[in-house]
């Protein structure tokens, strides 16, 4: 029986913490797998940083993908969510079944979950399979497929080359939606991970040391709460790379 199986159904007050402290450092199977996954991701990042030529795509098979700094951060965030969210739910199927039974009673929540799942698939996979939207001023204001329009006095019909048409700069609207979904996922998930990690660290340090350390960290927290989190997320997208226009 693994360590995860041994303590899965125990509550906090049922665990002998003195025994755990004297047992020394013991990594669970999930933690070991998480370390291996992050090690492989770190190796791939170093390969992209030091081996791949500048402005060259990170991978060319089975598809071409130029991985940006934000993409690496996004993949690290997905690993954290997988090992600390999906895996525990799979391991404790009894509790997961209870959560799902209660959750599906709210139809609006189920529909919202489906929408988020579609957004996740489109934003996660779409930018890998599609090229980034480019400007083509000769194809401005093209209509969606099956519709007609008269930009610049010429009647044109929408085609499957641009299923949703183009914008004022001739960029494909479908590609803009797909890449925009990726940015939304990156901003939301990465921002959430940063705030949770920051908050957990600050709270743990403040509770452990107390005294003036607690006072200083709490005043820092007050100042940070006045800074809009959305602005911080947009700054991260700007610094680590976003959708090319």
């Amino acid at each position: 029986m693994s360590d995860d199986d041994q303590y899965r159904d125990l509550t906090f007050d049922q665990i002998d913490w003195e025994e755990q402290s004297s047992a020394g450092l013991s990594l669970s199977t999930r933690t070991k797998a998480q370390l291996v996954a992050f090690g492989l991701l770190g190796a791939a990042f170093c390969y992209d940083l030091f081996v791949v030529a500048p402005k060259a795509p990170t991978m060319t098979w089975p598809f071409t993908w130029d991985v940006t700094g934000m993409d690496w951060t996004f993949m690290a965030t997905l690993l954290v969510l997988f090992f600390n969210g999906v895996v525990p739910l799979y391991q404790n199927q009894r509790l997961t079944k209870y959560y799902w039974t209660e959750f599906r009673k709210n139809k609006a929540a189920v529909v919202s979950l489906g929408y988020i799942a579609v957004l996740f698939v489109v934003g996660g996979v779409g930018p890998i399979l599609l090229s980034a939207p480019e400007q083509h001023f000769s194809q401005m204001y093209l209509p969606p497929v099956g519709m007609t329009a008269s930009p610049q006095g010429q009647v044109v019909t929408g085609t499957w080359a641009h299923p949703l048409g183009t914008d004022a700069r001739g960029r494909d609207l479908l590609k803009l939606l797909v890449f925009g979904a990726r940015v939304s996922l990156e901003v939301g998930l990465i921002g959430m991970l940063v705030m949770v990690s920051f908050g957990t660290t600050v709270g743990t340090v403040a509770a452990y040391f107390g005294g003036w350390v607690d006072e200083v960290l709490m005043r820092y927290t007050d100042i940070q709460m006045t800074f809009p989190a959305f602005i911080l997320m947009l700054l991260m997208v700007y610094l680590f790379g976003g959708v090319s226009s």
Side-chain angles (χ1 to χ4, degrees):
M1 178 182 296
S2 65
D3 293 339
D4 290 341
D5 295 332
Q6 183 178 358
Y7 300 108
R8 183 178 303 163
D9 296 325
L10 297 180
T11 60
F12 183 86
D13 58 319
Q14 293 175 332
I15 298 177
D16 188 350
W17 293 105
E18 293 184 359
E19 178 183 350
Q20 296 302 309
S21 300
S22 61
L25 180 62
S26 178
L27 299 179
S28 64
T29 303
R30 187 181 71 188
T31 302
K32 294 177 182 178
Q34 189 171 358
L35 292 175
V36 171
F38 273 98
L40 294 176
L41 183 65
F45 172 75
C46 293
Y47 170 79
D48 183 28
L49 184 62
F50 299 109
V51 178
V52 177
K55 297 183 179 180
T58 306
M59 57 184 301
T60 56
W61 187 90
F63 45 78
T64 302
W65 186 16
D66 185 13
V67 186
T68 65
M70 183 60 76
D71 291 332
W72 288 115
T73 310
F74 183 59
M75 286 187 284
T77 303
L78 292 181
L79 285 180
V80 172
L81 292 177
F82 175 76
F83 283 105
N84 297 279
V86 177
V87 173
L89 289 176
Y90 174 78
Q91 291 178 334
N92 197 336
Q93 296 187 13
R94 179 179 59 83
L95 190 59
T96 302
K97 185 179 297 185
Y98 169 76
Y99 285 152
W100 174 246
T101 301
E102 295 298 319
F103 180 81
R104 66 182 181 182
K105 294 178 181 179
N106 189 331
K107 302 300 181 183
V110 175
V111 173
S112 300
L113 179 63
Y115 172 79
I116 293 176
V118 172
L119 179 66
F120 191 88
V121 173
V122 171
V125 180
I128 300 177
L129 303 179
L130 298 177
S131 60
E134 300 178 352
Q135 299 182 14
H136 297 284
F137 290 102
S138 61
Q139 300 179 354
M140 298 186 302
Y141 297 115
L142 294 182
V145 62
M147 302 181 66
T148 59
S150 54
Q152 302 177 350
Q154 298 179 351
V155 178
V156 294
T157 303
T159 63
W160 285 106
H162 304 286
L164 299 182
T166 58
D167 66 357
R169 288 190 279 178
R171 297 176 299 181
D172 186 88
L173 290 179
L174 177 61
K175 290 184 178 181
L176 287 176
L177 288 175
V178 171
F179 279 79
R182 163 63 69 85
V183 173
S184 298
L185 287 176
E186 291 176 341
V187 168
L189 294 179
I190 296 176
M192 175 198 66
L193 179 63
V194 170
M195 289 186 290
V196 169
S197 302
F198 244 29
T200 302
T201 302
V202 171
T204 302
V205 172
Y208 182 81
F209 289 99
W212 67 269
V213 176
D214 184 15
E215 289 295 329
V216 171
L217 290 178
M218 290 304 98
R219 299 298 75 77
Y220 159 75
T221 303
D222 293 337
I223 296 174
Q224 180 181 336
M225 291 179 63
T226 64
F227 187 81
F230 184 71
I231 302 299
L232 176 62
M233 298 175 190
L234 291 181
L235 179 62
M236 292 181 57
V237 174
Y238 174 77
L239 292 177
F240 293 102
V243 180
S244 58
S245 59

